[in-house]
Amino acid sequence: MNFCENVLNQIRFVLDTITAITDQLEEEDLIFRPTQNKHSVGELLEHLAMICHADLRIAEGLSKEEMEKFYSEHTYKSISEIKAAIAENYGILKKAYLGLSEKELNERITSYWGVSYSRFEWLLEILAHLSHHRGQLHAILVHCLHKDPGIPLFE
């Protein structure tokens, strides 16, 4: 197994736990907003569902305008749409990364806000991004909705 496969395996685990948590929710849980002017549970899940594909696009060097268009074209409002998007967008990420050569993985890509990482570092950033928001989701469910999903977040 190469380095990308190892990171993709960790991303898959994070996504599996997000899906397992989502399986325990009701549609009405999606509207809960723990803090005014912050994401609702549904908006957070929608963001989580997009990360693999959206962050891949950022890692490909898309402009701010191209990313705004991407976000406007990709919305997931129901639990079933969110779960389907998680699986589909992971497949897009996996296919893109498993097709890269070592030279391509080491190529530096600059985001529209000026951060520059190698393509491999962008993959690590996707893992960190997903883990961060999964932790937020878990905390909201446990501390605000009093729904402990009882799912280990780490192996």
Side-chain angles (χ1 to χ4, degrees):
M1 194 178 283
N2 69 33
F3 291 119
C4 280
E5 289 171 330
N6 290 329
V7 176
L8 287 164
N9 183 54
Q10 292 301 307
I11 289 171
R12 176 78 260 160
F13 176 78
V14 172
L15 293 172
D16 286 348
T17 59
I18 292 165
T19 300
I21 290 168
T22 304
D23 282 338
Q24 296 183 26
L25 299 177
E26 303 295 329
E27 294 292 335
E28 57 266 16
D29 294 328
L30 300 182
I31 61 172
F32 178 74
R33 186 176 308 277
T35 305
Q36 190 176 7
N37 299 323
K38 296 293 182 182
H39 288 314
S40 68
V41 169
E43 290 163 346
L44 179 57
L45 281 167
E46 181 179 37
H47 180 67
L48 278 160
M50 273 188 226
I51 288 174
C52 286
H53 194 182
D55 286 12
L56 171 64
R57 307 315 302 220
I58 291 168
E60 292 171 339
L62 268 63
S63 69
K64 182 179 181 180
E65 294 74 25
E66 290 169 317
M67 287 307 302
E68 287 171 355
K69 184 176 188 285
F70 173 88
Y71 289 124
S72 72
E73 293 173 347
H74 294 83
T75 60
Y76 316 109
K77 299 302 179 192
S78 69
I79 289 172
S80 62
E81 288 175 342
I82 289 164
K83 288 172 51 180
I86 287 171
E88 179 182 348
N89 291 334
Y90 173 73
I92 291 167
L93 177 70
K94 183 176 179 180
K95 182 178 179 184
Y97 266 89
L98 291 181
L100 296 175
S101 68
E102 186 174 341
K103 182 179 178 183
E104 291 169 318
L105 286 169
N106 284 306
E107 182 182 351
R108 296 193 76 73
I109 307 293
T110 302
S111 69
Y112 64 83
W113 64 89
V115 173
S116 184
Y117 293 137
S118 71
R119 278 196 172 100
F120 184 73
E121 287 175 301
W122 280 113
L123 185 61
L124 294 175
E125 186 66 24
I126 292 168
L127 174 59
H129 193 182
L130 286 164
S131 297
H132 164 71
H133 287 306
R134 178 188 61 178
Q136 286 181 320
L137 175 64
H138 188 269
I140 290 167
L141 296 178
V142 170
H143 299 294
C144 298
L145 285 176
H146 307 290
K147 291 184 174 196
D148 187 343
I151 294 169
L153 301 183
F154 298 94
E155 293 182 303

